[in-house]
Every structure is written in structure tokens, then in C-alpha cells.
Amino acid sequence: MASHYHLVSKFWREIPHRYNLIGTRCGECKTVYFPPRNICPKCRRSSIGKMKEYKLKGKGKIYSYTIVHVAPEAFEDEIPYIIAIVKLDEGPMVTSQIVDCNLDEVKIGMPVEMAFRKIQEDGDTGAIYYGYKFRPIKR
């Protein structure tokens, strides 16, 4: 079993990937992927060694969504909440909670942007984990 120190240090090493949408972009066809990939499924062999880290802008539109009324353990206090598939402007799709939005306001095609929010709190260590969620873009 990993030590507590090892887990905490691993968490902090991953901060850029926890607080940004970091994907990869193929050097051959320029397709952007999230989560990151080592090989482009389109270019296959010709992409080996040509996948580069790529920071996504964190903006997109709701492609599909659902409202969760029965939550998994540790998320019961948040119900009801919106989970959506967001198609990012660069192309990849991500699944995320939609925040700062009333349930009756959410709609397919709604422009959204990434926001950092609390994801979970570890009761044993007191550590609070943050990550990305999406919110409507206010116009």
C-alpha cells in the first residue's frame, strides 16, 4: 500500500493536469485529444513520437445532458445535479458536472466554460480535491 506521503506528493505533481484541461495534439493531422493519447487513432504509425501536449481553452457547448436525482455515495448532498457531455471548441468531448445553472435553464447547445470547483473531501486526511466542472457562459 502506498504511503500517505507518496499519495500527497503524487497529487501535487499532477497539479497542471488537475487544474487545466491538458490533452494532446497530433503533429500529423492536428487532431486534439482529451484525455491525452500517445498515438493518434487517425494517423496511427505516422503519429508515433509526434503527439504533443496541448492545453485546451476550456470552452464548448453542451452536446447532451441528464439530471441526476439518485447520486452515488459521497455525492448525495448535491442532488439534483446536471451531468453533461460537453463538446469542446477544439473537438474533444468531456463528461462534466454543470454548475451555476438552474435545472430548468440547461439546454443542448448551451455555451459553457470550464470552472474549478471542489470535487470531493477526504474525511480521513481532510484533503479537499478540486477539479474541472463547467458553467454557462454569461452573456
Side-chain angles (χ1 to χ4, degrees):
M1 185 168 156
S3 71
H4 177 69
Y5 174 77
H6 174 72
L7 292 175
V8 170
S9 63
K10 181 179 185 305
F11 173 80
W12 287 106
R13 281 193 309 271
E14 293 176 353
I15 280 181
H17 288 85
R18 289 185 182 273
Y19 295 97
N20 293 288
L21 289 178
I22 306 289
T24 49
R25 184 173 180 211
C26 177
E28 286 290 312
C29 69
K30 309 301 184 211
T31 301
V32 177
Y33 296 96
F34 183 84
R37 295 184 179 215
N38 293 322
I39 297 173
C40 176
K42 291 182 181 178
C43 299
R44 299 187 189 262
R45 291 174 152 241
S46 61
S47 69
I48 295 174
K50 296 180 181 173
M51 298 297 286
K52 303 294 181 197
E53 195 171 87
Y54 186 86
K55 182 179 176 185
L56 292 112
K57 294 176 185 155
K59 293 188 178 188
K61 293 183 179 176
I62 293 178
Y63 181 81
S64 184
Y65 72 92
T66 191
I67 298 172
V68 177
H69 293 278
V70 179
E73 187 177 330
F75 294 94
E76 299 97 339
D77 293 343
E78 296 188 36
I79 57 173
Y81 59 91
I82 306 162
I83 293 290
I85 296 173
V86 174
K87 182 170 175 73
L88 298 172
D89 290 348
E90 295 91 345
M93 292 194 195
V94 298
T95 302
S96 175
Q97 184 177 356
I98 304 298
V99 295
D100 301 341
C101 182
N102 292 326
L103 299 178
D104 58 346
E105 294 175 340
V106 66
K107 62 184 179 212
I108 292 174
M110 174 184 278
V112 291
E113 64 186 356
M114 184 180 62
F116 294 106
R117 298 295 168 86
K118 178 180 168 182
I119 302 289
Q120 180 178 356
E121 188 171 338
D122 186 334
D124 295 334
T125 65
I128 298 173
Y129 300 99
Y130 291 88
Y132 66 86
K133 296 184 181 184
F134 282 79
R135 65 181 174 209
I137 295 176
K138 304 291 184 200
R139 296 191 183 237

